[in-house]
């Protein structure tokens, strides 16, 4: 079994993971990831009375573990971006599958169920504000997965090439990768009342999502091209910023993962809803019931 030196796996003096400050015994097998640290409190407000085991915060990483109708669940905030999700995914996997006392990989592995609940921008005119949209596939503009082995085995290479060629993707940018969410988890959460689609996880909010402010962007019509793109009957439905890293690393690590977002902006018709929190609370309750 692998042994992990202190430079590879940093453990705090109290026996907690370096960034999350979470101890192994407080990580549930069912995990909800949210970007906003304040949203962790909203998720926890649905937990059974008196069931909260821990409430830990370090930087943007906030964790509350408790129970919802008897189901043990950890809610963890990631902050914004796939770089943060790289931290969270590696540390929760280490908490589950590395013995922190001996620094060795556990022989018996835990498979985690990870659902990211977020917000997103719709890329097609027929996707209205307030839609709950499940990412069956995540398209990573971030490049994180390229730093791990077998990146090409996880990506839909045909989809990847077709997308790069169609939109005239910047040659010096990280090549997009396309990874699938866990199909069983998708079916369980989405059922027959949520839209399913292919989601871009952008590595920024402005230029990488086609927003043009004072600095011109490399592909001015990138969003028009993204909306028009089709591959084997699939289209790109929305933008968010975290799902690709979560899906890709979950596949590597043997966990189940998926992303579901509430559409709060419509990029095709330039509309946005800033009063989206009640609708997100509906999504949180639905996910808690189905996870």
């Amino acid at each position: 079994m692998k042994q992990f030196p202190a430079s590879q796996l940093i453990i705090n003096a109290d026996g907690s993971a370096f960034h999350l400050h979470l101890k192994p015994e407080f990580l549930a097998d069912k995990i909800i990831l949210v970007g906003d640290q304040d949203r962790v409190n909203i998720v926890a407000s649905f937990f059974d009375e008196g069931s909260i085991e821990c409430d830990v915060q370090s930087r943007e990483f906030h964790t509350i573990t408790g129970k919802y109708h008897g189901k043990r669940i950890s809610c963890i905030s990631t902050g914004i971006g796939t770089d943060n999700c790289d931290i969270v995914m590696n540390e929760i996997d280490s908490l589950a599958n590395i013995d922190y006392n001996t620094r060795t990989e556990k022989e018996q592995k835990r498979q985690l169920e990870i659902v990211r609940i977020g917000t997103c921008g719709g890329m097609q005119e027929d996707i209205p504000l307030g839609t709950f949209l499940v990412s069956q596939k995540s398209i990573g503009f971030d490049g994180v997965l390229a730093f791990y082995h077998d990146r090409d085995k996880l990506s839909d290479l045909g989809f990847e090439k077709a997308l790069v060629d169609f939109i005239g993707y910047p040659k010096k940018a990280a090549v997009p990768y396309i990874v699938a969410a866990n199909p069983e988890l998708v079916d369980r959460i989405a059922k027959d009342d949520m839209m399913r689609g292919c989601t871009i996880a952008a590595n920024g909010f402005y230029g990488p999502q086609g927003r043009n402010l004072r600095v011109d962007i490399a592909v001015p019509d990138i969003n028009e091209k993204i909306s028009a793109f089709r591959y084997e009957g699939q289209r790109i439905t929305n933008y968010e910023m975290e799902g690709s890293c979560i899906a890709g690393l979950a596949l590597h690590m043997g966990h189940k993962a998926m992303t579901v977002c509430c559409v709060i902006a419509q990029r095709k018709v330039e509309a946005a809803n800033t009063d989206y929190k009640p609708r997100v609370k509906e999504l949180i309750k639905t996910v808690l019931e189905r996870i």
Side-chain angles (χ1 to χ4, degrees):
M1 294 306 233
K2 275 187 176 181
Q3 181 93 28
F4 304 95
S7 62
Q8 299 292 319
L9 175 64
I10 304 172
I11 301 173
N12 297 317
D14 65 354
S16 64
F18 183 58
H19 294 91
L20 300 184
H21 280 250
L22 188 64
K23 295 181 180 180
E25 60 265 30
F26 291 127
L27 183 74
D29 287 341
K30 295 179 183 291
I31 298 171
I32 290 175
L33 298 182
V34 295
D36 183 355
Q37 55 194 297
D38 292 334
R39 196 171 289 162
V40 175
N41 292 319
I42 297 173
V43 174
S45 71
F46 290 100
F47 285 174
D48 301 342
E49 187 175 353
S51 72
I52 291 177
E53 303 173 24
C54 73
D55 186 341
V56 180
Q57 182 148 9
S58 174
R59 301 184 187 185
E60 60 267 62
F61 307 112
H62 183 195
T63 302
I64 296 179
T65 296
K67 291 181 180 178
Y68 177 80
H69 294 179
K71 293 184 292 189
R72 189 169 183 254
I73 297 170
S74 293
C75 183
I76 305 172
S77 63
T78 63
I80 296 175
T82 54
D83 51 347
N84 278 11
C85 289
D86 175 73
I87 291 171
V88 173
M89 289 297 294
N90 275 283
E91 291 196 3
I92 63 175
D93 178 71
S94 74
L95 289 163
N97 293 313
I98 295 175
D99 186 319
Y100 270 35
N101 294 314
T102 63
R103 294 181 169 275
T104 56
E105 188 175 5
K106 293 179 180 177
E107 187 173 348
Q108 187 69 34
K109 301 296 189 297
R110 287 170 64 187
Q111 184 182 61
L112 305 174
E113 293 183 351
I114 303 161
V115 178
R116 165 172 146 68
I117 299 175
T119 55
C120 70
M123 292 299 295
Q124 302 293 339
E125 290 181 0
D126 62 339
I127 301 176
L129 296 174
T131 298
F132 295 162
L133 207 162
V134 170
S135 304
Q136 285 187 300
K137 287 188 175 179
S138 288
I139 304 164
F141 279 7
D142 52 274
V144 168
L145 212 61
F147 289 89
Y148 295 91
H149 80 285
D150 287 344
R151 174 254 191 232
D152 285 0
K153 289 184 179 179
L154 299 184
S155 183
D156 183 333
L157 297 179
F159 193 131
E160 177 184 308
K161 184 179 187 305
L163 178 63
V164 168
D165 291 346
F166 187 84
I167 66 176
Y169 199 74
K171 294 186 183 301
K172 293 190 176 182
V175 177
Y177 59 90
I178 292 91
V179 288
N182 180 269
E184 186 278 326
L185 196 55
V186 165
D187 287 342
R188 193 194 324 158
I189 300 298
K191 291 190 181 292
D192 58 359
D193 56 5
M194 294 185 186
M195 184 176 288
R196 307 183 190 201
C198 300
T199 304
I200 291 173
N203 55 343
F205 186 77
Y206 290 95
Q209 293 189 36
R211 289 185 171 93
N212 199 342
L213 300 184
R214 291 188 61 244
V215 180
D216 290 339
I217 59 177
V219 186
D221 59 348
I222 189 169
N223 283 345
E224 288 75 13
K225 290 179 176 179
I226 285 170
S227 298
F229 174 76
R230 298 293 184 273
Y231 178 74
E232 295 184 348
Q234 301 169 89
R235 61 179 184 165
I236 296 172
T237 49
N238 57 317
Y239 266 125
E240 52 93 54
M241 294 181 65
E242 288 81 29
S244 58
C245 177
I246 294 168
L249 287 181
L251 281 173
H252 264 314
M253 296 167 174
H255 304 305
K256 295 182 176 183
M258 59 159 284
T259 291
V260 56
C261 290
C262 178
V263 177
I264 67 167
Q266 231 308 339
R267 302 300 303 278
K268 284 292 289 181
V269 296
E270 298 297 334
N273 175 21
T274 56
D275 186 25
Y276 58 82
K277 291 184 179 180
R279 186 66 172 153
V280 171
K281 285 186 75 172
E282 289 181 41
L283 177 56
I284 288 168
K285 190 171 188 298
T286 301
V287 170
L288 284 169
E289 289 171 353
R290 297 177 182 181
I291 193 172

